[in-house]
Amino acid sequence: MTFPVAGEPVTAALPAGTRAGGLADGDSVAVLHVPGEPGRAVLADDAGRGSVALLLALPLAATLAALAAGAAHLGRGERRARPVRSS
């Protein structure tokens, strides 16, 4: 879909599970998007609490997964760096 943001056209793909049935090219619809990220948008009629929460939670989940992977990588590196003690 293409919509204007600050007078400039922005194109965004609708997320999976969007109920856009019955809409044709050129139809006008209300759109919601994350401030600063207009490429991540949903149809306003399709934005129940779950849709909006998912739209906002995906970046947070990706950040937490990256932090966990980094912590696991650092943890493995520290174990390898310890000297071996002989008995």
Side-chain angles (χ1 to χ4, degrees):
M1 76 179 139
T2 301
F3 57 96
V5 174
E8 296 293 322
V10 174
T11 300
L14 291 173
T18 299
R19 290 178 239 137
L23 295 175
D25 285 347
D27 285 351
S28 294
V29 295
V31 175
L32 297 175
H33 64 85
V34 176
E37 295 185 55
R40 296 181 52 226
V42 296
L43 299 177
D45 291 342
D46 207 26
R49 288 183 183 176
S51 298
V52 173
L54 183 63
L55 182 69
L56 297 174
L58 285 177
L60 176 63
T63 301
L64 292 176
L67 287 173
H73 178 70
L74 288 175
R76 284 193 307 264
E78 288 178 13
R79 277 187 256 142
R80 291 183 192 144
R82 291 184 188 155
V84 178
R85 294 184 183 176
S86 58
S87 302

